[in-house]
Amino acid sequence: MSRSEGGIEGNMNAPPAGSGRRKRDLLPTNATATDNGSICSTERVDGGLNAGAVVGMGSGPTPVVHHRSATTTTQTRYGPPVVTFPDHAPPVTARTLQQLELPRVINNAKLRHDINFDPHLHFRPNPDAMRGERKRREAEAYWAALGDDLEQCALLGDEELWETPVVPPRVQRVLAEIRDILRSLVPERDVSVIDDTLDLPLLVQQIRRASLDYQRLAGWLSGVLKTHCAPMRDAWVDDMQEEFERAARDDDRGALVEGIRTLFGILEAMKLDVANHQVRNLRTLLVEDTVNFERHLFRRRIEKGELDVRLARRWYERAQRDCASSGIEMNASGGMNNTQTNSNNNRTVATLVRAIVESLASSSSTRSSLPDTFEFDRDRIHALQWELQGMVALEVCMKRFELFVHEDLRRRGPIPARIIRDLRGALLLLMEDEHHDDEDEEGSGGEESQQQQQRSWNQQVDELALVMARAAHRLSSGSQHHHLRSWSEQHQQTVRRLEEHLQRDLAIGDNPHCVGGDNTSSGLWRHFEEKTLRKLSAGTISQTIVFLEG
């Protein structure tokens, strides 16, 4: 059996393919890309998947331990009847994996929009998310319950204990899911081999009689997986087979559970390999068809009454009035001035960009300030807002340090460039660490995220003040501090005074401290935010017009 031949055999006694086989770098072209809920960062959005959202271990039905329930039999278009169980689903199932099939990906509006902004967009695990941690705990509970059921299966061959031995539904469901997932991974010519070898009634009968050879089954599975998976997965497949062999050799149910768990991990990884390969190949076509696809998508939603365009029109008309009242227009080269634009396109670009940039202000909620037509961009715009607020906070801290040195410490002359450089680097590092910590938390965006951001600055005030105080004391000569105690008292006093300033300076949003003149403690934030927004708006408008006219 070799990758080049592509076929598989149904004899479980057949040894795995040897090391001399030829390998294919890509999965079969007729394999179907599907999603697994356990490691894909995807979720359902309007009939598709959200490639930017986080889904941890297990999507679809929550994989928790349930009481036993009745089973049902469903006749499929091809192959034997499929036995389904309302409960006892593993963390990864054929149903959840279907979410990444090619038709789903092509009709996934969120993914098709995001792929325009991320050339390396792909489905990947996200184990750091809070939801992922919860799903991992649920998966651990499931595998522990499966271990208990396998212990029960080991006793089914004892006729003295069982009048009518029954294989636990959870074990039957695992076998059915392995078969169904494999069927979606192999070419159609090999589906019958999968059905014959993983004949569920036969496997259940062998388990009931305690005669199922897990080691032989693992050897056959190993050969099938190596035939159809990428060569980089071979070592993982070998690990799975070793776990099954150890389970058979030592009668170790724990090793058997680990082997099954590894098998599901390999199957979902193969699904991701197929999906990511197809996304890479289709990216150019999807990007080129974005405008046509989204125009039809929004037209259908408008016709169905799912989208109220009146809100978007009012938002744009208000932006037009604001732009006209401020006197901001664009010339043909993209520069901002107070003259009429040379084209309606330039005026439209200026209005649209300025309105979007204004939504990044600290007093604005990205969820409420933008119409529903920005639903695919709301998270991206909120991330820009967070980044911009970090830039403003850094400039506020640097200006506050300069004012503190000159006014509070009464030091004359310029501050050494080395101290300014080191302070900026230390503050930037501190803010980036806090930003990454907040990204790991599951937020809802909008006003709640604004409040979270406000709490973030307030919680950092003491750390920011401490860093700035250290830089301030570097400006003082050592001869001014004859005693350690006096230096410590002065340092603590400096930290307290800086904290008081920063509490006012970093009071963002509609806080009354945000109003005031330039360079005052209450107006620093507003001053630097408006300056940053103007610079961002001008640069974005200029680059956009250059792109459109190019």
Side-chain angles (χ1 to χ4, degrees):
M1 177 167 51
S2 66
R3 282 190 173 90
S4 58
E5 294 171 355
I8 60 175
E9 300 178 359
N11 183 6
M12 289 192 296
N13 289 319
S19 59
R21 67 184 184 281
R22 290 189 294 161
K23 296 186 176 182
R24 294 189 305 189
D25 292 332
L26 301 178
L27 295 169
T29 55
N30 60 342
T32 306
T34 55
D35 168 34
N36 73 72
S38 77
I39 70 175
C40 287
S41 50
T42 61
E43 67 179 11
R44 297 286 303 180
V45 173
D46 188 38
L49 304 174
N50 181 352
V54 175
V55 178
M57 294 293 293
S59 172
T62 304
V64 295
V65 180
H66 297 284
H67 297 292
R68 292 184 181 178
S69 58
T71 61
T72 58
T73 302
T74 303
Q75 183 68 42
T76 59
R77 290 184 302 171
Y78 53 89
V82 177
V83 179
T84 59
F85 307 91
D87 300 320
H88 312 295
V92 180
T93 66
R95 180 177 180 179
T96 58
L97 291 172
Q98 287 176 353
Q99 295 180 18
L100 271 185
E101 289 183 353
L102 186 57
R104 300 279 187 94
V105 173
I106 292 178
N107 291 288
N108 179 350
K110 184 67 168 63
L111 182 146
R112 293 192 58 165
H113 188 81
D114 289 342
I115 204 171
N116 289 269
F117 301 91
D118 185 2
H120 305 292
L121 182 68
H122 62 283
F123 300 99
R124 59 179 178 81
N126 195 337
D128 296 330
M130 293 177 62
R131 187 176 180 182
E133 178 61 30
R134 176 173 59 85
K135 293 296 183 180
R136 278 198 301 273
R137 291 195 299 267
E138 294 171 351
E140 292 293 340
Y142 177 86
W143 296 120
L146 179 64
D148 295 338
D149 288 347
L150 291 175
E151 289 286 354
Q152 177 182 335
C153 291
L155 302 175
L156 292 179
D158 193 338
E159 298 180 356
E160 297 181 357
L161 296 176
W162 305 92
E163 180 178 351
T164 304
V166 177
V167 177
R170 186 177 288 103
V171 176
Q172 298 186 49
R173 178 65 182 268
V174 164
L175 294 173
E177 293 296 345
I178 293 173
R179 178 199 61 195
D180 294 342
I181 296 173
L182 277 175
R183 291 175 67 187
S184 69
L185 280 170
V186 302
E188 186 175 356
R189 65 177 180 271
D190 292 331
V191 170
S192 60
V193 179
I194 301 294
D195 292 336
D196 292 340
T197 307
L198 297 179
D199 183 358
L200 189 58
L202 176 61
L203 294 176
V204 170
Q205 182 180 11
Q206 291 176 341
I207 295 174
R208 187 180 295 121
R209 296 178 178 178
S211 61
L212 177 61
D213 191 334
Y214 295 103
Q215 187 172 356
R216 289 173 54 193
L217 180 60
W220 176 81
L221 287 170
S222 176
V224 173
L225 295 176
K226 288 184 177 182
T227 300
H228 297 286
C229 72
M232 64 179 180
R233 306 292 183 192
D234 286 1
W236 201 2
V237 175
D238 292 336
D239 292 340
M240 176 210 70
Q241 187 171 0
E242 290 177 3
E243 289 166 348
F244 276 101
E245 291 175 352
R246 178 162 59 89
R249 182 179 62 252
D250 303 334
D251 194 21
D252 186 348
R253 297 291 172 260
L256 182 57
V257 172
E258 286 302 316
I260 297 174
R261 187 172 185 172
T262 302
L263 173 59
F264 274 94
I266 296 171
L267 293 174
E268 63 187 7
M270 292 172 64
K271 290 289 187 177
L272 287 179
D273 291 341
V274 174
N276 289 327
H277 173 62
Q278 291 178 329
V279 167
R280 286 192 299 270
N281 288 344
L282 292 174
R283 182 181 184 276
T284 301
L285 295 177
L286 295 178
V287 170
E288 291 177 350
D289 190 52
T290 296
V291 175
N292 177 64
F293 174 80
E294 293 192 0
R295 181 183 289 120
H296 286 83
L297 172 68
F298 282 101
R299 180 180 294 129
R300 287 196 305 270
R301 292 188 182 181
I302 293 171
E303 293 173 351
K304 293 180 180 180
E306 299 174 353
L307 182 64
D308 188 356
V309 295
R310 292 176 298 179
L311 298 176
R313 286 198 182 100
R314 286 198 292 267
W315 174 84
Y316 182 74
E317 291 170 355
R318 183 170 57 252
Q320 282 183 315
R321 293 193 298 270
D322 293 342
C323 194
S325 62
S326 64
I328 295 180
E329 295 289 354
M330 297 297 303
N331 56 33
S333 62
M336 299 185 68
N337 55 32
N338 293 322
T339 63
Q340 292 294 324
T341 62
N342 293 336
S343 69
N344 290 330
N345 288 340
N346 289 1
R347 186 182 298 109
T348 300
V349 169
T351 301
L352 183 62
V353 171
R354 185 174 184 271
I356 295 175
V357 170
E358 287 296 324
S359 70
L360 303 179
S362 59
S363 58
S364 172
S365 168
T366 55
R367 186 168 296 278
S368 59
S369 62
L370 294 174
D372 291 340
T373 47
F374 285 92
E375 61 177 299
F376 297 147
D377 298 291
R378 190 164 280 121
D379 291 339
R380 191 176 295 106
I381 293 176
H382 175 68
L384 289 175
Q385 182 184 44
W386 190 285
E387 184 176 352
L388 182 138
Q389 301 308 322
M391 296 168 56
V392 174
L394 177 62
E395 295 304 322
V396 168
C397 289
M398 295 302 299
K399 186 62 177 179
R400 171 50 54 197
F401 177 76
E402 178 184 344
L403 294 174
F404 182 81
V405 169
H406 292 155
E407 297 177 2
D408 292 59
L409 300 183
R410 301 186 183 280
R411 178 185 174 88
R412 304 304 176 187
I415 303 174
R418 175 173 51 85
I419 292 181
I420 293 294
R421 183 184 63 251
D422 294 345
L423 175 60
R424 179 179 289 272
L427 293 175
L428 184 61
L429 181 61
L430 182 61
M431 293 178 179
E432 286 181 347
D433 289 342
E434 181 69 18
H435 176 54
H436 291 318
D437 291 341
D438 291 328
E439 281 184 333
D440 292 337
E441 299 180 3
E442 188 175 13
S444 58
E447 295 179 1
E448 293 184 7
S449 295
Q450 287 288 338
Q451 297 171 0
Q452 179 187 13
Q453 190 175 24
Q454 176 69 68
R455 290 193 299 269
S456 174
W457 298 132
N458 292 338
Q459 292 169 358
Q460 278 191 290
V461 161
D462 56 343
E463 299 178 9
L464 295 172
L466 182 60
V467 171
M468 294 166 66
R470 290 172 181 169
H473 281 290
R474 289 178 59 187
L475 293 172
S476 303
S477 62
S479 60
Q480 293 178 339
H481 309 292
H482 299 289
H483 303 286
L484 179 62
R485 181 175 180 180
S486 63
W487 180 90
S488 177
E489 292 176 353
Q490 183 179 359
H491 180 73
Q492 293 177 6
Q493 183 181 6
T494 300
V495 172
R496 287 194 299 268
R497 290 158 65 186
L498 283 169
E499 285 180 354
E500 293 174 359
H501 286 304
L502 291 177
Q503 288 287 358
R504 295 191 297 269
D505 296 337
L506 298 180
I508 64 177
D510 294 325
N511 192 295
H513 289 303
C514 283
V515 297
D518 293 349
N519 296 338
T520 65
S521 61
S522 58
L524 284 179
W525 184 277
R526 179 64 58 85
H527 168 72
F528 283 105
E529 183 178 61
E530 291 179 352
K531 179 180 178 181
T532 305
L533 290 175
R534 286 196 302 270
K535 184 177 180 181
L536 177 62
S537 180
T540 304
I541 292 173
S542 176
Q543 292 296 322
T544 302
I545 291 182
V546 169
F547 173 79
L548 294 176
E549 293 181 349

